[in-house]
């Protein structure tokens, strides 16, 4: 009955390895998402830079208006990127917190299991 109530150390290790694998996969997914976001931002900035270079030959009033639009567009993309990064960081923090919590719970369960095994061994030796 004691075995049914508490998993074995081997089972706990297996569960811990599975958790570590899931966390690693989530970290990889987040890294890929951030890399993809960087590529998108770099592409947009390159396109906007090219546009600005072509427009330097335009009349000054038109160029000033376009510069203002460029600044607004860049600020818009920056806000979007910042929001995406904030969401990714938040998700990463959540995953790390969950991993730490599970790790602490697993360590606590293993310590309890060791204590029970030691107590059971003492009873067996006394009996």
């Amino acid at each position: 009955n004691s075995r049914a109530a508490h998993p074995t150390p081997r089972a706990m290790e297996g569960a811990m390895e599975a958790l570590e694998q899931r966390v690693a996969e989530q970290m990889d997914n987040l890294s890929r998402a951030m890399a993809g976001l960087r590529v998108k931002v770099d592409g947009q900035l390159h396109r906007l830079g090219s546009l600005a270079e072509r427009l330097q030959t335009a009349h000054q009033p038109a160029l000033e208006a376009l510069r203002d639009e460029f600044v607004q567009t860049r600020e818009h993309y920056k806000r979007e990127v910042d929001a995406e990064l904030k969401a990714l960081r938040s998700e990463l923090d959540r995953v790390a917190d969950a991993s730490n919590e599970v790790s602490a719970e697993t360590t606590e369960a293993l310590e309890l299991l060791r204590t029970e095994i030691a107590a059971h061994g003492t009873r067996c030796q006394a009996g």
Side-chain angles (χ1 to χ4, degrees), residues 1-122:
N1 263 348
S2 178
R3 284 187 181 175
H6 298 286
T8 65
R10 185 172 288 161
M12 294 295 285
E13 287 175 11
M16 192 65 173
E17 288 174 7
L19 174 64
E20 288 174 0
Q21 179 65 31
R22 284 195 315 269
V23 168
E25 289 172 4
Q26 289 176 344
M27 296 287 276
D28 288 343
N29 289 341
L30 289 173
S31 293
R32 281 193 296 275
M34 287 181 72
L37 189 56
R38 282 189 194 109
V39 169
K40 288 178 184 178
V41 168
D42 288 346
Q44 289 295 334
L45 291 176
H46 178 72
R47 283 186 215 108
L48 290 172
S50 295
L51 176 63
E53 288 176 15
R54 288 191 309 264
L55 294 175
Q56 286 181 351
T57 58
H59 297 288
Q60 187 62 28
L63 184 57
E64 287 177 13
L66 288 171
R67 282 185 183 147
D68 290 342
E69 185 176 334
F70 173 76
V71 167
Q72 290 175 358
T73 302
R74 184 181 61 199
E75 289 172 357
H76 170 76
Y77 283 119
K78 185 181 181 317
R79 283 191 301 272
E80 284 185 1
V81 167
D82 288 345
E84 289 273 345
L85 288 174
K86 182 178 179 181
L88 287 170
R89 284 186 188 112
S90 176
E91 180 66 14
L92 184 58
D93 288 344
R94 186 190 67 73
V95 168
D97 289 346
S99 175
N100 290 338
E101 184 178 320
V102 169
S103 179
E105 290 172 0
T106 301
T107 300
E108 185 179 314
L110 285 172
E111 287 301 318
L112 180 62
L113 187 59
R114 285 186 188 120
T115 302
E116 288 178 9
I117 289 170
H120 181 67
T122 302

